[in-house]
Amino acid sequence: MSYQVAIDGPAGAGKSTIARQVAKNKGFIYVDTGAMYRAMALHMIRSNVDTKDAEAIAKASETADISIQYVDGEQIVLLNGENVNGLIRTPQVSAMASVSSANPQVRARLLHLQQKLADENDVIMDGRDIGTCVLPHADVKVYLTASARVRAQRRYKELVAKGESCDLDQIEAEIKERDHRDMTREHAPLKQAEDAQLLDSSDMTIEQVVDAICNLIHKD
Ligand code: DC
């Protein structure tokens, strides 16, 4: 039986940084499901899909073949055979992913791939619906969050480090808008699973959060 760790939480809570580190410490694979939704969103942008047209989003999803490879422990997302890792972290893709991931056909196409990865490997998987929908029987479930202000500050620092000009209040407003969309959508909304441990990382270092999660994992 594979060992499954599910990490859910809002954008910017530090899920991917932390999950990647826990995966290294424990020898698990890290499955970044947000990257799969982002690859799907890139496909929607390339297909010139109207974000308000749910039918067009569903139809376009049929021509997106998303798969995953691991190179030196890093997840590579392939969209119709093309490595799109370098193309899916733009604001345009984030905005489209937030809309297209609410579509039930888009979700159904990715659910199977996610469950298969978790069946075949010891995984730490992060996203919005992992503990609630994708891996309801996960061995460990964590709901990782932080205040919107702290999440905005983290994002602001990343952008400034890249030399991009940005506005903290605007970033916070965008984060709150994404939270609202992710939490209120009809299909697989972001919420804490009943049996998930709540971890608020606002006043914790990355190492503290990694240690807290590693301490929850008891694999023979
Ligand atoms: O975690 P992220 O920012 O890379 O996620 C991108 C988008 O995909 C975000 O709007 C939420 C959505 N998503 C989702 O609906 N379900 C998941 N399991 C993971 C991400």
Side-chain angles (χ1 to χ4, degrees), residues 8-9 11-12 15 32-35 37-38 89 94 97-99 101-102 107 114 126-130 134 178 182 185 188:
D8 291 301
K15 297 187 300 297
D32 173 357
T33 64
Y37 284 99
R38 286 172 178 275
R89 302 281 160 198
S94 298
S98 178
V99 175
S101 64
R107 302 203 74 81
Q114 293 161 2
D126 78 349
R128 305 293 189 285
D129 62 335
I130 311 305
V134 181
R178 280 179 68 191
D182 290 347
R185 68 185 179 205

